[in-house]
Every structure is written in C-alpha cells, then in structure tokens.
Amino acid sequence: MTSNGATANDFRDDLIRLIPHLRAFARSICNDATYADDLAQDALAKALASEKSFTMGTNMKAWVFMILRNQFYSNKRRSWRSQPLDPEVAERTLVSVSDPTASLELDELRRALAMLPHDMREALILIGAGGMSYEEVSEITGVAMGTVKSRVSRARDRLALIYAEGDIAGDDVKPSAAMAAIMVALDGHARAA
C-alpha cells in the first residue's frame, strides 16, 4: 500500500498511462528516437524503484517528467566519456524523407532555437513539444509559474522575430548533421548548469 490507501497497482496503472507522454517528452529534449526510448525506459524504472517516495494524489506526470529530465542532464554530464559520432558513418546511414526540405527546416529551427537563451528554449520545449502545463513545468524547473509563462511567451516572440527578419545565424554545420549538432549544444548547456 502506498499513502492515501492507494494500492501499488493504482500507482503502476497511472504510470503506464503516462508512457506515451514520457516518450514524447524524451524525444523533444534529445531529438533521437532510440535514445529517447532508452531515456524513457530508464525514467520509468527509476519511478518504479522510487514508488514509496511518491505521494498518491499529487502530480505524477510532473514527478516522472522531472525524473526523466534529471536523467537526461546526468547522462549529458557523463557523455564526455563516450566516443563522438563519426560524421561519415552518420551521413551513410541517414534515412531519406519524403520531404526534401525537411532537413533544411530542422537545421533552420536548430539554428533559431540556438539563438534563444537556455531558460527560454527549455521552457518552450517542455510546453510546446512536451505538452506539459505551465504548472508542471514550474514544478520541474523549480521556477514560479509566472516565470515559466514569461519565458515561453518571450521565446515564441523572439523566434517569430528571428524568422520574420530572416536573421538566423549561420554556421558550418551541415543540415544533415543538425540532430548531432543539437546534442552537442545541449551537452554544453548541461555542463554549464
């Protein structure tokens, strides 16, 4: 039995219902489907192992998302020990998409997002791609709900301005390597945190 008389089955049933949301959030922060699935699985395992520390009736979605987010940043801090991706191997294994401009659009978005401050970018991803409420993001990031709303609003406004002006900073990263470049940028932010 967990607190409030709920059974372990209630906890697990609630956790199972969150799996699609957890996978979507993982994909939004790491942009790698395989790694995202592993990350979501690790977060689920940690949540199950920490079942006794969860109080039934509180926001399980925010609790599990915080576990996933913390796991992601922990992995990024340790990633310096791993081997870097070989660009030639990556280019040979890229999958063709039906929209020939998709990689260019992803690269343009990557470069535009990189122009945002870290706190704005994180809030925008959690709200926009993660589908979380402002309250949940507030719990996860540890800032006031008004601050989260302000960060998301300012991030959207700034992205719109960046696109309207067409003033997206260029770099030497090939559009086909946009995903790998996003991971490198996230690693840099994780080390700074």
Side-chain angles (χ1 to χ4, degrees), residues 67-85:
I67 291 172
L68 185 139
R69 180 178 175 261
N70 291 343
Q71 182 66 37
F72 173 73
Y73 283 125
S74 293
N75 291 349
K76 289 288 138 211
R77 279 190 288 275
R78 283 179 278 192
S79 69
W80 65 270
R81 296 181 190 111
S82 65
Q83 289 290 338
L85 178 67

Side-chain angles (χ1 to χ4, degrees), residues 113-114 116-126 155 186 189:
L113 284 171
L116 297 176
H118 174 74
D119 56 346
M120 285 185 202
R121 185 173 53 250
E122 180 180 50
L124 187 60
I125 287 172
L126 289 170
L186 286 173
H189 289 297

Side-chain angles (χ1 to χ4, degrees), residues 3 13-14 23 25 37 40 42 45 55 60 62-64 77 82 84 102 108 128 133 139 141 143 150 160 165 183:
S3 62
D13 289 344
D14 289 347
R23 291 180 71 211
F25 176 57
D37 287 342
D42 289 346
T55 305
M60 181 180 280
W63 181 70
V64 176
R77 279 190 288 275
S82 65
E108 186 176 53
S133 69
E139 288 179 35
T141 59
V143 298
S150 175
E165 292 177 344
M183 295 308 295

Side-chain angles (χ1 to χ4, degrees), residues 28-91:
S28 73
I29 63 172
C30 70
N31 293 315
D32 177 341
T34 304
Y35 176 58
D37 287 342
D38 291 344
L39 189 61
Q41 184 176 352
D42 289 346
L44 285 169
K46 286 187 177 204
L48 282 170
S50 303
E51 179 180 348
K52 293 187 190 300
S53 69
F54 179 73
T55 305
M56 290 301 284
T58 60
N59 190 339
M60 181 180 280
K61 187 175 183 182
W63 181 70
V64 176
F65 272 44
M66 186 168 35
I67 291 172
L68 185 139
R69 180 178 175 261
N70 291 343
Q71 182 66 37
F72 173 73
Y73 283 125
S74 293
N75 291 349
K76 289 288 138 211
R77 279 190 288 275
R78 283 179 278 192
S79 69
W80 65 270
R81 296 181 190 111
S82 65
Q83 289 290 338
L85 178 67
D86 181 7
E88 291 179 14
V89 172
E91 286 183 0

Side-chain angles (χ1 to χ4, degrees), residues 85-97 176:
L85 178 67
D86 181 7
E88 291 179 14
V89 172
E91 286 183 0
R92 285 191 305 248
T93 59
L94 285 176
V95 177
S96 172
V97 294
S176 61

